[in-house]
Amino acid sequence: MLTEFGSSHATASSPPLWNRLYLYFGGYDSAFRNSEQISDRHVLVRAGAWTGPGIAPYNEKIQSFGSRHQVPFELKKTINLPQTAFPMKANLPHNEPKMLERWERSRIYDQIRQARKGAPRYILHDGPPYTSGPIHLGTALNKCLKDFIVKSKTMAGFDAPYVPGWDCHGLPIEIKVDKELGGKKLQMAPLAVRAECRKYAQKYLDLQRKQFKRIGVFGRFERPYATMTPQYESVVLSTFFSFYEHGFVYKGLRAVYWCMHDETALAEAEVEYENHTSSTVWVKYRLRDDPAVIDAALAGKKVSTIIWTTTPWTLPASMAVAFHPEEEYVALESGGEVYIVASKLAQDVAGKCNLADPKPLAYFPGRKLERLNFQHPFLDRKVLGVLADYVTMDTGTGVVHTAPSHGAEDFITGVKYGLDATSNVDEKGILRNGLPEYTGKRVWDANSPIIDLLKSRGALLHTEKTEHSYPHCWRCHNPVIFRATEQWFISMETPMPGGAGKNDTLRTRTLEEIKKVKWDPGWGEERLSNMIQTRPDWCISRQRVWGVPIAVFLCESCGKPLNDKAINRKVVELFGRSGADAWFTPESDNIVPPGTTCPHCGSAKFEKETDIFDVWLESGASYLALIDDEPSYPWPSDLYLEGGDQYRGWFQSSLLCAMGTRGTPPYRGVVTPGWTLDEKGQAMSKSRGNDVDPVDISNRLGGEIVRLWVASVDFREDVVGSEALMLRVGENYREIRNKLFKNALGNLFDFDPPANAVPFAKMDPLDRYMLHQTWSVSRDIRNWYDDFAFHRIYQRVNHFCIVDLSAFYFDIIKDRLYTFAPNSIGRRSAQTAVWRICEAMARLLAPILSFTCEEVWQHLPKIFGRPESVHMAHFPEASDVFGESSVPEQDPQLTQDWITLLGVREQVLKALEEERNSKGIGKSLEAQLTLTASDPGYSVLQRYASQLRYLFIVSAVNLVEGSGNGTSGVRVDVKKAEGAKCDRCWNYSTRVGEDKTYPTVCERCSRVLKELESGQPQ
Ligand SMILES: [Zn+2]
Ligand SMILES: [Zn+2]
Ligand SMILES: [Zn+2]
């Protein structure tokens, strides 16, 4: 049953309004789902629709839009309902990849570079993640934070390029490739193994690159820096040569951390402390010299000292016993023998070693024992009494067995006393050149036969198991040992080139420079200073294959390295050309010119060093490599941002590499996020199953949700990630998307800024007030971006969307936007404000909500000169928010007025709520108010008298001067509104029915309808 809509009015005196309105709202299907246009002027409406004024049946199905409006059909068409193609449902998993394709096609990163060309530079230098697996929530947090910073600096006007980097060399990859290759590896040349490792690293570089892009990170992704490119490898080598040529480098025997499992030396940064149970022994070392030299009371006695060690396997390497020079020692007589131990520990030792009835014979300082000779408990060896400050009085006996080949401090003591530091433990941890009882055994397996040996020689006084914190390999988690090996070192004590002398060393200068860096959080300064203060020389060599070789020629006859600047340059050039692989090819064989001789022994034959560099030296050279590639980048960079473990790692190695090549730190500032934990505060790991995979979240909820989660956490603390939190962030995302962006865009469908924008001075006071609020929010947000306080932005924006906009501003201006004549100044004023708020917020949030703000940007009115992408735009200035530069940023009078008005509004809302509860009214528009107030409140209310009914969303406000009550001195009386309900705007008015053409509408709406009909303002 179809009715021809409009035909029944052809006879009316005025032209049929609805036809013209239909054309006016031509593109407006959603409200017309039940009608079809059959010609320019005719629409068919299905049964039940209203076909003439005064009859007014409702078509419930079409006309219920929102709870507040239920309007006869043809009147409904005169309402400026929101319309926008910006969807309520974001469908991020589906739409983000499309946006990424668009960005890829338009080369957004290059366009941004072009747009910021010549602007001041801001360089956040990326720390390279390791290429041995997919990204996880921690890496996503890291990259999102960097992306927020880079994008916010870009929008603040800086040229902020971002070159992502990857750390591709090193043990974990080599081990994984070893496993894949199995026994085959032994038959393969180093080059073939390196090719396999390269493939492996490239695979994960490609995967991580894809994953970082998926979460919306912008950067020079098609040409990242990677530690395995020829250019990068050549810079690693030239960084080393810079140290080498300035005398920082030496090759020497040194007790270094050694992983027997991985068969390599480890840096301090590669060692982690874990609990380990050791066999601990108390061992007697007999004094060979005359005890009377210590004290006359000991003359003729059988004297020993007692050492204590948790590593019995190091006893074959025992070369000395160390005493503290200043601490007091005691000689205890028991069972016919005398034992020397520290006084402070004497009671404890006597108990453990079962010394019956111990009697002190003499007390003396440790220094009296220096250079005395003791007897090794099972080898034919004199063991020297030595002094050392590191001997402590908290555990053991106060006497430290010293094996220079198996301890860092022992080694240093050994150098001082000229002790033998030869290691008789091979790279697999097997003891060599000793007694048959333990030779050929691995260190841990040697403990037991050595304890038996001590027992059989009568030297063992006590043994027990001790659990203690012990260094472990951070890669394979096996306990490590100290082992003296020939290694390459960078000396921390080398005087700085061109410096102030021998006290101006790499260590002291680095400590000075640390103070000039901005550490965020501030504890970073002390943490790194303490590490630099106490760190040993940097062991930079590793005995592996997958890395940059220490490309130095060694004399075949004396083994000494050839340090020739011209040859060094040639190798660097070769690496730049052919990559570090060239060290393993004949290409590098001809670098040493014929006739070159060893300056030490005169030999003319050289071989190539086979060690590779510590990967920390490689990644430490990353900014040097980047500015080698981009010479226009400034030195130093502005910011490094990595986790707290990088104080031992990348922050430190980068600092030392920079100090050794340029004499200043590579960064002005260093920021450290906390760890990413699960809801129980535990570290996330795939194996534990408590990890939140950012790629999975992106695929299910959206990359934007991962980003917003990052913004929601206070990253300087440890942060918590979980499925539940992601879902909660998703809820917040919907609030921002709909309460702010969709609401705003929906009301801008007929707004053309150049034609319709209202100058600030002519805007409605509420709109002006909201623009001031928006500017204040903008300023806060920009300051928080500068402080990297993204969680505060998140909180403020949520509050702004939900409280300031949705529950207040948008609620109030709905009436103006929907029911005022489309081109009325009241409506245009609100649209102007909504447009400026939406523009400002899209720009302000683009660094965080990169996908959504770009989407919003495409739906905002296009104006001349506006960049194609929000990511090329700038943050809003005051002149953008107010629309002109002459508006003062603050308006104290306006602000004061609104503090008063909002105070009254609070009271009104409360009064309305009470009235609603007592069933006096339903919707607030059914109410009218009487406000009784005295000054100063009264004059403010009077000044805004015409606005009050809109502000409170009631049908009428009656203002009376008199003594009020309440906190603001205003009394609020609520009554049922007089008159009838307007069918169009739902306000109550006593004048509904006055207009005979439109008998069901109020005087306001009647004016609007006449205007629409005549096309002339009424
Ligand atoms: Zn290991
Ligand atoms: Zn030589
Ligand atoms: Zn009305």
Side-chain angles (χ1 to χ4, degrees):
M1 190 171 111
L2 297 170
T3 311
E4 200 181 348
F5 180 56
S7 61
S8 60
H9 305 288
T11 54
S13 56
S14 52
L17 172 65
W18 29 92
N19 280 6
R20 294 183 44 244
L21 289 174
Y22 179 72
L23 296 175
Y24 181 84
F25 293 104
Y28 195 6
D29 315 325
S30 64
F32 286 79
R33 255 168 301 164
N34 273 20
S35 60
E36 23 181 310
Q37 189 173 1
I38 54 171
S39 75
D40 273 354
R41 296 172 59 87
H42 291 83
V43 179
L44 290 179
V45 179
R46 302 198 188 284
W50 182 41
T51 51
I55 314 168
Y58 292 117
N59 185 329
E60 299 285 346
K61 198 167 174 196
I62 314 172
Q63 283 146 6
S64 58
F65 54 102
S67 56
R68 271 181 53 197
H69 293 270
Q70 197 177 48
V71 183
F73 186 56
E74 111 286 17
L75 284 180
K76 186 190 160 193
K77 285 184 289 172
T78 70
I79 288 180
N80 314 304
L81 277 187
Q83 47 177 310
T84 174
F86 183 82
M88 189 174 84
K89 270 192 123 50
N91 199 1
L92 298 170
H94 178 74
N95 288 328
E96 285 172 349
K98 288 188 186 162
M99 183 73 84
L100 290 169
E101 268 170 41
R102 238 187 71 173
W103 281 333
E104 195 84 40
R105 266 200 315 277
S106 67
R107 305 189 64 79
I108 184 75
Y109 178 78
D110 296 337
Q111 283 201 62
I112 294 170
R113 293 282 65 75
Q114 203 55 39
R116 290 294 180 276
K117 209 173 179 171
R121 276 267 166 72
Y122 183 91
I123 310 285
L124 186 162
H125 177 53
D126 190 33
Y130 198 62
T131 48
S132 67
I135 70 169
H136 52 78
L137 197 59
T139 23
L141 174 95
N142 175 299
K143 278 293 192 286
C144 285
L145 290 173
K146 288 171 180 168
D147 196 48
F148 296 170
I149 294 171
V150 168
K151 281 180 180 151
S152 61
K153 290 294 175 189
T154 300
M155 297 196 74
F158 288 92
D159 179 11
Y162 176 64
V163 181
W166 273 277
D167 191 1
C168 310
H169 287 135
L171 205 49
I173 289 177
E174 195 175 336
I175 289 168
K176 280 184 180 153
V177 170
D178 280 6
K179 265 189 206 147
E180 283 175 14
L181 294 173
K184 219 166 72 186
K185 192 196 175 191
L186 295 170
Q187 278 93 53
M188 289 168 72
L191 265 187
V193 177
R194 287 170 64 88
E196 288 300 316
C197 292
R198 179 177 297 277
K199 252 199 278 178
Y200 188 95
Q202 188 66 46
K203 178 177 135 190
Y204 284 106
L205 189 158
D206 291 340
L207 176 68
Q208 291 186 3
R209 169 162 53 191
K210 208 173 107 198
Q211 294 176 329
F212 287 140
K213 285 162 95 171
R214 175 62 190 85
I215 53 174
V217 177
F218 284 3
R220 201 184 77 182
F221 276 107
E222 80 277 15
R223 205 160 61 80
Y225 80 76
T227 59
M228 62 179 181
T229 62
Q231 181 263 343
Y232 196 103
E233 290 174 330
S234 75
V235 174
V236 171
L237 192 60
S238 69
T239 302
F240 165 74
F241 283 140
S242 178
F243 276 113
Y244 196 26
E245 289 163 11
H246 285 115
F248 287 97
V249 176
Y250 66 94
K251 196 176 183 194
L253 199 63
R254 176 58 72 93
V256 290
Y257 285 113
W258 185 271
C259 178
M260 300 171 282
H261 179 261
D262 297 323
E263 295 178 35
T264 184
L266 298 174
E268 295 73 38
E270 294 169 329
V271 163
E272 284 175 350
Y273 281 79
E274 292 172 20
N275 276 354
H276 180 69
T277 304
S278 300
S279 298
T280 307
V281 289
W282 281 254
V283 183
K284 185 160 79 171
Y285 277 47
R286 195 170 54 75
L287 180 67
R288 291 172 58 136
D289 296 344
D290 179 3
V293 301
I294 305 171
D295 193 292
L298 303 182
K301 304 273 185 189
K302 191 180 172 193
V303 177
S304 301
T305 189
I306 304 171
I307 64 98
W308 170 87
T309 179
T310 56
T311 50
W313 63 265
T314 61
L315 287 171
S318 190
M319 297 294 164
V321 282
F323 303 93
H324 195 285
E326 312 305 331
E327 292 286 347
E328 186 188 68
Y329 287 79
V330 62
L332 292 177
E333 189 167 39
S334 167
E337 289 196 39
V338 176
Y339 303 94
I340 295 174
V341 294
S343 293
K344 285 174 185 163
L345 293 158
Q347 204 184 346
D348 182 49
V349 177
K352 291 253 185 209
C353 298
N354 235 344
L355 304 182
D357 209 5
K359 196 173 103 197
L361 295 185
Y363 294 93
F364 39 86
R367 90 180 93 81
K368 289 217 79 167
L369 304 164
E370 191 180 19
R371 298 206 182 273
L372 290 178
N373 289 295
F374 294 83
Q375 176 59 45
H376 191 281
F378 52 81
L379 293 173
D380 181 16
R381 181 188 295 157
K382 278 187 192 171
V383 172
L384 195 66
V386 298
L387 303 181
D389 289 335
Y390 54 76
V391 175
T392 60
M393 297 295 140
D394 49 3
T395 45
T397 63
V399 185
V400 174
H401 129 70
T402 301
S405 55
H406 297 301
E409 289 166 328
D410 297 33
F411 186 87
I412 294 163
T413 302
V415 171
K416 199 166 140 199
Y417 287 92
L419 305 174
D420 183 3
T422 308
S423 174
N424 285 308
V425 173
D426 74 10
E427 60 277 10
K428 291 186 165 61
I430 293 169
L431 273 69
R432 305 283 177 202
N433 306 322
L435 298 180
E437 282 87 343
Y438 54 82
T439 293
K441 292 200 169 2
R442 266 203 163 211
V443 292
W444 311 119
D445 303 330
N447 280 339
S448 166
I450 286 173
I451 293 171
D452 291 344
L453 196 55
L454 291 170
K455 246 186 247 169
S456 71
R457 304 289 171 102
L460 186 71
L461 294 176
H462 178 62
T463 179
E464 65 184 35
K465 299 270 184 205
T466 312
E467 193 181 309
H468 60 137
S469 166
Y470 187 85
H472 285 65
C473 173
W474 81 338
R475 311 277 194 208
C476 69
H477 294 279
N478 284 301
V480 301
I481 60 171
F482 268 102
R483 181 172 172 262
T485 52
E486 177 100 311
Q487 300 290 346
W488 290 86
F489 291 92
I490 289 174
S491 162
M492 294 301 294
E493 317 306 337
T494 307
M496 292 296 284
K502 73 177 175 46
N503 292 328
D504 185 11
T505 62
L506 179 59
R507 190 191 307 277
T508 58
R509 185 78 73 82
T510 303
L511 287 168
E512 276 309 303
E513 292 293 328
I514 285 174
K515 295 179 193 156
K516 300 176 188 165
V517 173
K518 185 171 180 280
W519 301 94
D520 175 9
W523 48 254
E525 178 176 345
E526 200 188 337
R527 185 146 169 196
L528 190 55
S529 292
N530 288 342
M531 286 176 169
I532 294 290
Q533 190 90 56
T534 56
R535 69 160 294 151
D537 290 347
W538 184 1
C539 177
I540 55 169
S541 48
R542 297 291 183 273
Q543 293 68 49
R544 302 296 302 198
V545 174
W546 181 228
V548 178
I550 302 180
V552 171
F553 293 94
L554 305 171
C555 170
E556 257 187 35
S557 112
C558 72
K560 293 221 164 78
L562 185 64
N563 186 3
D564 178 304
K565 283 189 187 180
I567 293 174
N568 294 347
R569 287 309 116 201
K570 277 206 237 168
V571 187
V572 170
E573 276 165 37
L574 173 65
F575 276 27
R577 214 168 43 240
S578 307
D581 279 353
W583 192 244
F584 304 90
T585 69
E587 219 183 335
S588 53
D589 291 347
N590 305 321
I591 287 205
V592 179
T596 307
T597 53
C598 169
H600 307 284
C601 72
S603 163
K605 285 190 140 182
F606 297 93
E607 58 188 358
K608 289 183 268 187
E609 170 64 275
T610 55
D611 284 1
I612 59 169
F613 288 111
D614 171 17
V615 284
W616 291 112
L617 184 114
E618 287 193 28
S619 58
S622 62
Y623 195 59
L624 296 163
L626 187 55
I627 54 171
D628 173 75
D629 182 49
E630 295 274 8
S632 72
Y633 285 13
W635 181 272
S637 73
D638 290 278
L639 195 71
Y640 278 34
L641 180 152
E642 301 301 332
D645 50 344
Q646 300 307 335
Y647 285 92
R648 313 193 282 182
W650 191 58
F651 294 156
Q652 189 171 153
S653 67
S654 296
L655 180 59
L656 292 176
C657 283
M659 293 302 298
T661 50
R662 292 186 163 237
T664 55
Y667 36 66
R668 273 184 232 281
V670 171
V671 173
T672 305
W675 301 112
T676 309
L677 307 174
D678 72 2
E679 279 185 319
K680 290 181 191 136
Q682 296 195 319
M684 284 190 185
S685 76
K686 263 219 152 57
S687 53
R688 256 188 228 148
N690 65 345
D691 66 316
V692 177
D693 176 2
V695 178
D696 167 61
I697 297 291
S698 300
N699 292 339
R700 287 189 293 118
L701 307 176
E704 202 83 313
I705 303 306
V706 177
R707 298 179 69 89
L708 197 56
W709 167 77
V710 173
S712 75
V713 297
D714 182 358
F715 74 83
R716 286 170 176 89
E717 309 288 330
D718 290 345
V719 306
V720 175
S722 69
E723 177 79 15
L725 273 175
M726 294 293 167
L727 293 173
R728 202 176 311 156
V729 167
E731 293 290 319
N732 274 325
Y733 171 80
R734 279 186 284 282
E735 299 271 18
I736 297 170
R737 180 179 182 89
N738 291 312
K739 295 204 158 152
L740 165 59
F741 290 128
K742 185 167 169 53
N743 258 342
L745 292 172
N747 285 297
L748 297 174
F749 64 93
D750 64 337
F751 183 72
D752 174 27
N756 307 128
V758 175
F760 190 78
K762 291 197 173 147
M763 287 173 82
D764 186 282
L766 173 63
D767 302 332
R768 279 191 279 130
Y769 169 71
M770 274 317 289
L771 289 184
H772 275 289
Q773 290 299 98
T774 304
W775 173 238
S776 147
V777 169
S778 310
R779 235 178 1 202
D780 286 348
I781 290 179
R782 287 197 54 175
N783 288 337
W784 288 327
Y785 272 123
D786 284 346
D787 297 341
F788 312 143
F790 309 116
H791 63 297
R792 305 197 61 182
I793 298 176
Y794 175 81
Q795 288 156 5
R796 186 73 185 88
V797 166
N798 271 316
H799 188 273
F800 188 64
C801 293
I802 296 167
V803 179
D804 299 336
L805 291 180
S806 180
F808 171 66
Y809 183 59
F810 285 163
D811 202 26
I812 292 167
I813 59 172
K814 244 185 210 167
D815 185 79
R816 255 194 288 154
L817 287 169
Y818 290 11
T819 71
F820 278 31
N823 205 27
S824 62
I825 187 160
R827 181 162 178 270
R828 293 303 190 197
S829 166
Q831 282 181 312
T832 305
V834 167
W835 170 57
R836 295 201 195 286
I837 291 168
C838 190
E839 268 266 345
M841 295 312 287
R843 291 168 193 250
L844 288 164
L845 290 182
I848 294 169
L849 295 176
S850 296
F851 293 99
T852 306
C853 292
E854 185 76 315
E855 190 187 354
V856 169
W857 195 252
Q858 307 312 320
H859 286 91
L860 273 162
K862 303 274 180 287
I863 50 171
F864 181 74
R866 194 160 165 280
E868 225 175 273
S869 162
V870 71
H871 298 294
M872 281 144 72
H874 286 85
F875 280 140
E877 299 298 335
S879 56
D880 299 315
V881 172
F882 297 121
E884 48 209 270
S885 50
S886 56
V887 179
E889 288 185 26
Q890 269 159 24
D891 186 339
Q893 175 69 57
L894 186 74
T895 309
Q896 198 49 52
D897 285 356
W898 280 90
I899 289 172
T900 306
L901 292 170
L902 292 174
V904 177
R905 182 172 176 267
E906 287 281 297
Q907 256 183 283
V908 167
L909 294 182
K910 229 173 95 196
L912 287 170
E913 186 61 32
E914 281 163 15
E915 195 67 19
R916 227 188 320 271
N917 290 340
S918 64
K919 301 272 189 266
I921 54 160
K923 302 214 176 292
S924 67
L925 281 176
E926 290 171 24
Q928 65 175 4
L929 304 176
T930 302
L931 301 181
T932 312
S934 53
D935 267 337
Y938 177 76
S939 28
V940 176
L941 289 168
Q942 200 190 29
R943 222 161 332 115
Y944 290 85
S946 64
Q947 322 283 327
L948 296 178
R949 57 178 287 206
Y950 303 115
L951 178 59
F952 304 138
I953 317 183
V954 295
S955 282
V957 175
N958 182 21
L959 185 60
V960 180
E961 190 169 14
S963 67
N965 55 9
T967 39
S968 58
V970 179
R971 199 177 80 217
V972 181
D973 295 301
V974 181
K975 243 182 9 184
K976 205 163 166 54
E978 286 160 26
K981 180 170 154 191
C982 167
D983 263 354
R984 184 170 175 275
C985 71
W986 280 30
N987 280 265
Y988 281 72
S989 168
T990 49
R991 296 176 61 189
V992 171
E994 274 181 11
D995 184 327
K996 298 303 166 214
T997 323
Y998 308 109
T1000 62
V1001 306
C1002 71
E1003 69 283 9
R1004 275 192 326 152
C1005 289
S1006 140
R1007 224 170 24 245
V1008 172
L1009 293 173
K1010 285 207 177 79
E1011 179 176 334
L1012 286 174
E1013 197 163 334
S1014 66
Q1016 296 299 318
Q1018 300 294 300

